[in-house]
Amino acid sequence: MRTTWSLALRLLCCFLLVSFVPAQDESRPAKIAVRAARLIDGKSDTPIENPVVLIEGRRIIAVGSGLTIPKDAKVIDLGNLTLLPGLIDVHTHLLTEMDGTNVSLQDVETLKIVATESTAQRALLGAKLGREDLEAGITTVRDVGNSGVNGDVALRNAIDWGWLPGPRIDAATRALAAPGGQFGRLTPEAQKIIDQEYVILNGPDSARQAVRQALYDGANCIKVIVNGTPADVTLDEMKAIVDQAHTAGVKVAAHAIGDKPTRIAAEAGVDSIEHGYIIPDDVLKMMVQKHIFLVPTDGTVEEFLKMIFGKRQPTAEERAEQESWIRKYVEGNRDRLQRALKFGVPIAAGSDMYLTMPDQDRGQASLNVLDAYAAEGMTPLQIIHAATSNAAELLGWQDRIGALEAGKFADLIAVPGDPLRDISVLHHAQFVMKSGVVVKNAK
Ligand SMILES: [Zn+2]
């Protein structure tokens, strides 16, 4: 009896510890009114002139043109800036950074990271990169694996508990994959290392078990690497994953490139296909029917060149040699994005940024994907929706983020100029607020 009581007491203490959430900022005023020149709400087609956003605590309570400002509200006047919802990046790897000049050796680079950096160290890297994202105006991310064993959950919790500044994180824990993960072929002796980064599937039962394990580990979503070497994740495994995840109310993101992997993902009914650099028309049509998002993790020619050469100035021949294949690759991405838009596939913005970029921190480098969408022919409004309301819907968080409207978390950014004319101004957020707390105000 005594043992039972002491155990019960200890469990209660544990519960209290787990559920204790420190306040993010005790200095946050009760009411804030943010004023600016115009506002793009993330959902509608037309901006609002002379907007006022009223905030109470963590949430927006009203948005409109020339609203009456309550006497007790603190006023933040952003002058001629444009207000938008905090941006959402649905494909991040905050716990991984590797040298971009070694593109052909990425599996070796991943191996090196997993073998030499503890999850704790990677979580601290995530703290740095997460802050860079937040300061660039990315207030929410979906972090899709390559985070050691649950390092993303640790980072998410630390940010949620106010231990450090960073974006709101939708965490996937380890990605589910076919034997080998994304390491290529390893010797039998080296197989153990795979489990430090991926959960390996061997049939539908193990796929269900992998989803249960991810949920137990604290995942908000499930990431699957459908492409494998030598074999892909099977349709039966994929169906089991989707069924198990959806039963628990959790979404599934599928890394899929090529005819067969994208078809497996779409037929199984995943929630998003990541990358999809090669994807046939009939799969795109299936995505429209099933409302499966495409997350085009694209780049511009300039960005790829910078990535490959780093800080080094290439010779004219070197540059021309790289540029010819990059142009072809980027043209292929443009073609599939245009086909997806033509059929009406919903698009959510995802950077897949995990490389070092010269002269850019992680936040700025992650915003390059928006420039790539513009170069591939998306309109500024389509791009903004992809990085706000569409992204929120993909996460299943459309009730809390992705738009500037009453009831949503007060995640706001403000940029100079008009993003509807030039999307690149999103690189210059001068004001960032997350959950009603001012993160940055350079105005
Ligand atoms: Zn990725």
Side-chain angles (χ1 to χ4, degrees), residues 2-312:
R2 226 185 113 133
T3 345
T4 316
W5 271 110
S6 89
L7 180 68
L9 196 65
R10 246 185 282 163
L11 279 174
L12 181 67
C13 289
C14 283
F15 175 75
L16 288 175
L17 268 176
V18 169
S19 56
F20 171 67
V21 180
Q24 273 217 326
D25 181 1
E26 268 129 39
S27 62
R28 173 171 43 206
K31 276 187 198 153
I32 300 175
V34 180
R35 273 203 305 231
R38 72 195 67 76
L39 176 148
I40 298 165
D41 70 5
K43 275 175 132 176
S44 57
D45 293 349
T46 42
I48 299 171
E49 300 296 321
N50 301 313
V52 174
V53 181
L54 291 179
I55 296 149
E56 193 167 332
R58 290 167 187 274
R59 293 186 188 263
I60 297 170
I61 53 168
V63 177
S65 181
L67 290 183
T68 311
I69 296 175
K71 279 202 180 86
D72 57 344
K74 180 189 173 205
V75 178
I76 299 175
D77 192 340
L78 297 172
N80 59 357
L81 298 187
T82 302
L83 278 170
L84 298 110
L87 302 175
I88 304 168
D89 183 347
V90 305
H91 193 122
T92 65
H93 298 289
L94 289 180
L95 281 73
T96 293
E97 184 162 64
M98 60 177 81
D99 185 356
T101 57
N102 253 343
V103 183
S104 60
L105 290 173
Q106 281 185 19
D107 47 353
V108 180
E109 285 282 318
T110 313
L111 200 56
K112 192 175 117 197
I113 290 171
V114 180
T116 61
E117 293 178 23
S118 67
T119 296
Q121 185 168 336
R122 293 173 72 179
L124 291 170
L125 169 71
K128 171 187 178 282
L129 301 179
R131 191 180 60 203
E132 291 171 359
D133 266 13
L134 183 63
E135 286 174 355
I138 300 166
T139 50
T140 301
V141 305
R142 185 179 62 164
D143 203 69
V144 285
N146 295 110
S147 46
V149 181
N150 312 330
D152 52 351
V153 171
L155 179 63
R156 176 197 68 198
N157 292 347
I159 292 169
D160 282 352
W161 296 340
W163 293 359
L164 64 153
R168 196 172 280 109
I169 296 180
D170 187 59
T173 67
R174 283 175 295 172
L176 281 44
Q182 291 180 295
F183 288 119
R185 270 199 189 84
L186 299 183
T187 62
E189 294 80 7
Q191 294 295 307
K192 257 189 168 176
I193 210 166
I194 298 168
D195 302 333
Q196 300 303 306
E197 198 76 348
Y198 301 95
V199 175
I200 299 306
L201 307 172
N202 277 302
D205 286 347
S206 83
R208 285 186 185 279
Q209 176 54 34
V211 174
R212 284 197 202 103
Q213 183 67 47
L215 297 174
Y216 175 76
D217 288 344
N220 304 97
C221 63
I222 301 295
K223 166 81 179 295
V224 189
I225 313 289
V226 184
N227 293 71
T229 311
D232 298 330
V233 170
T234 67
L235 180 59
D236 281 348
E237 287 167 341
M238 208 60 227
K239 281 181 173 166
I241 290 166
V242 172
D243 180 57
Q244 195 74 37
H246 285 180
T247 301
V250 166
K251 309 250 187 177
V252 179
H255 162 121
I257 299 155
D259 187 298
K260 189 169 151 249
T262 57
R263 196 177 302 281
I264 286 172
E267 270 183 26
V270 300
D271 298 282
S272 63
I273 289 184
E274 313 292 305
H275 319 300
Y277 304 123
I278 300 164
I279 187 165
D281 282 353
D282 64 313
V283 172
L284 289 171
K285 286 176 187 164
M286 207 187 326
M287 290 170 73
V288 177
Q289 277 165 10
K290 298 187 174 187
H291 200 62
I292 298 171
F293 282 80
L294 177 67
V295 178
T297 51
D298 297 353
T300 60
V301 174
E302 259 328 291
E303 186 189 8
F304 282 120
L305 285 170
K306 271 189 201 156
M307 209 181 267
I308 288 169
F309 293 113
K311 289 190 190 297
R312 189 167 72 83

